Amino acid sequence: MFKKILIANRGEIACRVAETARRLAVQTVAVYSDADAQAKHVAACDESVYIGGSAPRDSYLRWEAIIEAAQATGAQAVHPGYGFLSENEDFAKACAAAGLVFIGPPPSAILAMGLKAESKQLMEKAGVPLVPGYHAADQDPALLQREADRIGYPVLIKASAGGGGKGMRAVERSEDFAAALASCKREAINSFGDDAVLIEKYVQRPRHIEIQVFGDSHGNYVYLFERDCSVQRRHQKVLEEAPAPGMTEAMRARMGEAAVAAARAVNYVGAGTVEFIVEQTAYDQPESMKFYFMEMNTRLQVEHPVTEAITGLDLVEWQLRVASGEPLPLAQADLQIQGHAIEARICAENPDNNFLPATGTLQVYGLPVCTSFERAAHGVRVDSGVREGDTISPFYDSMVAKLIVHGKTRAEALARMDAALAQTHIVGLATNVQFLRHVVTSTAFSKAELDTALIQREAAALFDQTKLGLPMVAAALLSHLMDSETRAFEKRDARGWTDPWARRDGWRSHGPSLRSFMMQFRGAPHTVVLTRAHGGVLQLLIDGSSYALSFASTASGALDVRLGTQRALARVYQMGEVAHVFTAQGAAEITVVDALAHAGESRSDAGRLTAPMPGKVVSFSVKAGDQVSKGQPLAVMEAMKMEHTIAAPSDGVVAELLYAPGDQVAEGAELIKLEAA
Ligand code: ADP
Ligand code: ADP
Ligand code: MG
């Protein structure tokens, strides 16, 4: 085994590789760019080397700098992760020339599988089934048109050098072929510097099923079963699972053997994935499934954890063992599938805006019991390359984390995934977490009616949805505000600041029992009125409906909110005026429009917090020296039989409280001195 390896990657995969290395007592060297100087993967490794600017071409793709870093630190081998240099034949060769072991297949195998068209010719010879198509070198447009007509529509034009879902065009009719070809070639030359294409029959109701293979340098091969990656958006994977629903033992063996034949044909060594497109005439007829070779990815795949979950193996450990010359740890007959695993890719993106990638700071990054690679008793694993406070920058891909669950059955794994997603609380940027929950709980996915068009097919139920209505969201927010007020009182009580009559429940026993709020929810304004009836019962009035409200804070820090007949355990994170509410039923944002704070803002110079009307100061929720953010509630005033929350007009620090609770104040009186932070 190696003593020290360099990890030529970043993010979750660099952290993932480092974890196994540590377990095997292999030292690790990280490389990092400007943007990643404080990144988690740097902290996860024993040493680190700066390799350049934030853009990948200035750092993670600079293989000379990476090889230099390996030599300078005495690393014996380089793990390329996925993406970046992982499928770069020249890099693999340069490693060897520098006396470093490339933890991956031989350069000749990368080259052979690198181009989709060439690899298909090879696979044809090896007897691996191919989608009917054209994959020869002659690129004469008239010939390509004739070939497409011969194959029969719909066809798929693919850039031979393509990847990551780019450089593909589906064509429905012969008359559209020429234009699609031209546009595909333009995209291919721009993205991959090579405009060669191949044409394939567009498989109907296609499923993406891939086989994990492993080879060693002694000529042994095994397959570690399949992963179903049919749930895709823009030809990119969203959810992956193992085993594939409906897979029969016979078909698994045929696909596994075809994948091993593919690997053997290129003298493959290490971890690789053979991707197949599977045709099915109906969802519930696995016997009707036909599989065809699509491509081979000559690296560790993003979704490898589902295979680890069902086999109980560590594929990175296998990679390190094989690369250091050891034989495969197990033979085919030793391998077994246990249970069912599902992975969800959590991405910084906005599904409701065509999956537009999002950037920003992870202000809240709450994950379900974070267990990482170590298999948890509860079957949840999180592979993540970021921490709370980190930034998702525009330089790298938008994947924030991978959530992997394992259960005895698919149904158990599904339920576990939904629960884990519900516990994933990310604030600060748009993510696909709620969208993933909708997919996971959709009827089509639950019944395993899988094909690559599932997301389009089920769009009406997946997009722009929230299972959480305004009443519960407003109730959670108000419970949170009342709870925070109570805590503020308790804190001051402990220091003997407040009058002994201040009630600990955040609500005064006398005086007004009505508070009105303007809230913005899903683009529309709503008036929410909170009243306290006799006997202390809270009542919420929203859009003409009235609900009884009660809440209690739980030991875990969540609020147990009861609203009429509904009940939810909620967590509320307030970021300025926007509150982010997470419950098991769903998550939503709500904005408290503090008209009075805004009025105060326009009437006074910035930083002056004044009474909007004559009245009585009820409470302060801050004290001198506190950092506050824009929109944060600072004080409660009572006027005109209503209580009003005074919110911070801007971020700042509380310099001084100018009145005490109970004081009468005149209109325009300054209540709090706020200074810029
Ligand atoms: P897999 O097939 O392993 O499931 P993908 O095909 O989605 O995963 O891509 C693997 C990873 O490679 C992704 O994280 C993606 O961001 C990264 N990747 C794809 N293309 C490039 C590229 N041109 N440069 C760097 N990274 C890339
Ligand atoms: P990439 O290099 O981008 O991963 P692939 O050739 O692996 O490209 O194909 C990516 C996705 O495109 C597949 O997972 C599948 O959804 C779709 N696809 C590819 N080939 C076909 C086909 N012949 N018929 C239908 N869908 C296809
Ligand atoms: Mg692919």
Side-chain angles (χ1 to χ4, degrees):
M1 182 51 69
F2 308 111
K3 286 200 165 54
K4 194 191 265 193
I5 62 169
L6 180 140
I7 304 170
N9 214 299
R10 63 178 304 282
E12 67 88 17
I13 193 61
C15 298
R16 162 74 191 87
V17 172
E19 203 176 330
T20 290
R22 174 165 312 108
R23 191 169 59 72
L24 299 178
V26 175
Q27 291 175 50
T28 49
V29 182
V31 291
Y32 66 92
S33 66
D34 284 325
D36 281 340
Q38 308 299 328
K40 184 179 173 191
H41 79 272
V42 174
C45 292
D46 300 312
E47 301 171 58
S48 58
V49 180
Y50 169 75
I51 50 166
S54 300
R57 67 171 179 284
D58 297 330
S59 47
Y60 299 107
L61 293 173
R62 280 184 63 210
W63 48 267
E64 303 86 344
I66 291 171
I67 287 173
E68 226 169 81
Q71 287 174 323
T73 53
Q76 298 154 295
V78 176
H79 195 302
Y82 55 69
F84 296 127
L85 295 168
S86 60
E87 295 181 279
N88 187 315
E89 178 218 358
D90 293 330
F91 177 63
K93 277 189 188 151
C95 284
L100 297 162
V101 176
F102 176 78
I103 303 172
S108 56
I110 300 179
L111 180 67
M113 290 298 186
L115 291 174
K116 292 183 203 289
E118 273 84 341
S119 67
K120 282 184 174 140
Q121 293 165 21
L122 252 169
M123 290 304 108
E124 202 161 33
K125 283 197 205 110
V128 179
L130 297 184
V131 189
Y134 172 84
H135 35 74
D138 191 340
Q139 296 282 306
D140 171 31
L143 170 73
L144 294 175
Q145 171 89 56
R146 277 200 305 281
E147 287 294 330
D149 294 347
R150 175 186 63 80
I151 295 163
Y153 295 88
V155 298
L156 197 60
I157 310 174
K158 281 189 194 178
S160 186
K166 264 199 178 155
M168 267 192 282
R169 292 286 183 287
V171 187
E172 298 285 337
R173 302 175 311 169
S174 178
E175 48 274 43
D176 301 334
F177 183 82
L181 176 67
S183 121
C184 184
K185 280 189 173 279
R186 270 196 307 276
E187 183 172 315
I189 197 90
N190 285 334
S191 302
F192 314 110
D194 176 351
D195 72 352
V197 300
L198 61 102
I199 303 167
E200 272 177 10
K201 176 151 197 64
Y202 195 95
V203 170
Q204 294 301 301
R205 258 194 246 199
R207 272 170 76 174
H208 175 120
I209 301 181
E210 58 186 32
I211 304 283
Q212 175 73 55
V213 294
F214 243 101
D216 65 18
S217 50
H218 311 279
N220 303 308
Y221 292 93
V222 294
Y223 58 90
L224 294 131
F225 316 114
E226 77 280 3
R227 296 183 285 255
D228 191 315
C229 315
S230 298
V231 182
Q232 304 183 342
R233 53 146 169 72
R234 294 205 229 100
H235 299 301
Q236 282 181 298
K237 300 157 187 167
V238 174
L239 288 167
E240 301 104 344
E241 59 185 304
M247 178 64 84
T248 59
E249 280 304 327
M251 175 143 163
R252 174 173 296 132
R254 279 193 291 132
M255 288 184 80
E257 278 153 24
V260 164
R264 208 184 283 279
V266 296
N267 297 313
Y268 201 82
V269 176
T273 296
V274 182
E275 297 189 330
F276 294 98
I277 192 91
V278 175
E279 194 169 29
Q280 55 187 354
T281 49
Y283 298 118
D284 52 359
Q285 285 168 20
E287 321 75 52
S288 77
M289 299 201 296
K290 283 201 198 90
F291 65 92
Y292 306 104
F293 173 86
M294 217 164 19
E295 66 168 345
M296 181 168 187
N297 292 327
T298 53
R299 54 173 161 88
L300 192 66
Q301 205 104 336
V302 173
E303 58 275 20
H304 76 275
V306 292
T307 300
E308 295 185 323
I310 61 155
T311 57
L313 300 171
D314 179 339
L315 298 193
V316 174
E317 176 179 345
W318 278 40
Q319 285 190 299
L320 297 180
R321 293 201 181 285
V322 164
S324 61
E326 294 179 31
L328 289 175
L330 296 173
Q332 194 64 52
D334 305 328
L335 294 163
Q336 266 183 1
I337 297 180
Q338 260 164 19
H340 198 97
I342 307 177
E343 172 182 279
R345 298 192 190 193
I346 297 176
C347 297
E349 64 185 18
N350 186 350
D352 294 336
N353 189 6
N354 204 17
F355 299 99
L356 192 73
T359 56
T361 300
L362 295 162
Q363 292 171 317
V364 174
Y365 188 50
L367 297 169
V369 265
C370 187
T371 51
S372 188
F373 176 74
E374 283 159 37
R375 243 159 256 95
H378 16 335
V380 179
R381 163 177 169 185
V382 180
D383 280 18
S384 168
V386 289
R387 300 155 299 198
E388 192 162 85
D390 284 353
T391 300
I392 304 297
S393 75
F395 300 110
Y396 312 111
D397 73 286
S398 61
M399 197 169 76
V400 177
K402 304 186 304 203
L403 204 57
I404 305 105
V405 296
H406 187 209
K408 282 196 202 72
T409 59
R410 185 171 192 266
E412 189 178 300
L414 263 171
R416 194 158 278 161
M417 175 59 85
D418 188 46
L421 286 166
Q423 290 168 29
T424 304
H425 299 171
I426 301 179
V427 174
L429 38 75
T431 71
N432 61 347
V433 173
Q434 296 308 309
F435 172 77
L436 288 169
R437 291 195 68 188
H438 298 151
V439 179
V440 166
T441 54
S442 69
T443 315
F445 189 72
S446 329
K447 288 173 136 176
E449 290 173 352
L450 301 175
D451 70 72
T452 59
L454 185 141
I455 287 177
Q456 283 137 274
R457 200 156 33 85
E458 301 293 316
L462 303 179
F463 292 99
D464 199 23
Q465 296 283 319
T466 177
K467 300 226 166 91
L468 212 50
L470 170 64
M472 184 47 91
V473 177
L477 168 60
L478 291 175
S479 303
H480 170 73
L481 291 176
M482 286 186 268
D483 187 58
S484 314
E485 251 173 46
T486 304
R487 285 171 204 285
F489 269 111
E490 281 173 352
K491 250 193 241 156
R492 272 197 304 276
D493 276 358
R495 296 162 49 169
W497 276 20
T498 44
D499 63 327
W501 304 106
R503 289 195 38 162
R504 285 169 183 276
D505 63 359
W507 201 268
R508 267 96 0 237
S509 58
H510 44 74
S513 56
L514 193 73
R515 284 168 82 170
S516 165
F517 302 82
M518 277 290 286
M519 295 189 186
Q520 193 85 19
F521 184 70
R522 292 168 68 74
H526 300 269
T527 301
V528 176
V529 179
L530 182 65
T531 60
R532 162 162 280 200
H534 281 301
V537 180
L538 294 172
Q539 203 76 23
L540 202 59
L541 199 81
I542 303 176
D543 298 336
S545 300
S546 170
Y547 311 79
L549 168 67
S550 65
F551 68 92
S553 52
T554 65
S556 68
L559 288 167
D560 184 356
V561 182
R562 293 182 190 214
L563 183 71
T565 54
Q566 298 178 57
R567 184 170 183 175
L569 266 187
R571 270 182 193 272
V572 181
Y573 306 91
Q574 214 170 345
M575 299 290 150
E577 291 184 317
V578 184
H580 302 260
V581 177
F582 294 88
T583 74
Q585 291 80 18
E589 280 175 22
I590 187 162
T591 305
V592 184
V593 187
D594 196 322
L596 295 174
H598 287 295
E601 192 176 9
S602 60
R603 274 152 35 110
S604 60
D605 35 350
R608 261 172 66 88
L609 263 162
T610 55
M613 56 195 71
K616 192 171 88 174
V617 177
V618 173
S619 67
F620 289 104
S621 49
V622 291
K623 58 181 188 323
D626 281 357
Q627 285 261 354
V628 300
S629 49
K630 182 170 187 249
Q632 180 179 333
L634 305 180
V636 177
M637 261 196 75
E638 177 191 297
M640 298 160 75
K641 289 282 162 207
M642 296 269 278
E643 287 195 356
H644 304 283
T645 302
I646 313 287
S650 57
D651 294 354
V653 174
V654 176
E656 200 185 346
L657 304 182
L658 299 166
Y659 288 92
D663 286 352
Q664 286 290 336
V665 296
E667 183 184 354
E670 195 172 3
L671 300 174
I672 294 175
K673 258 202 192 339
L674 196 63
E675 288 174 353

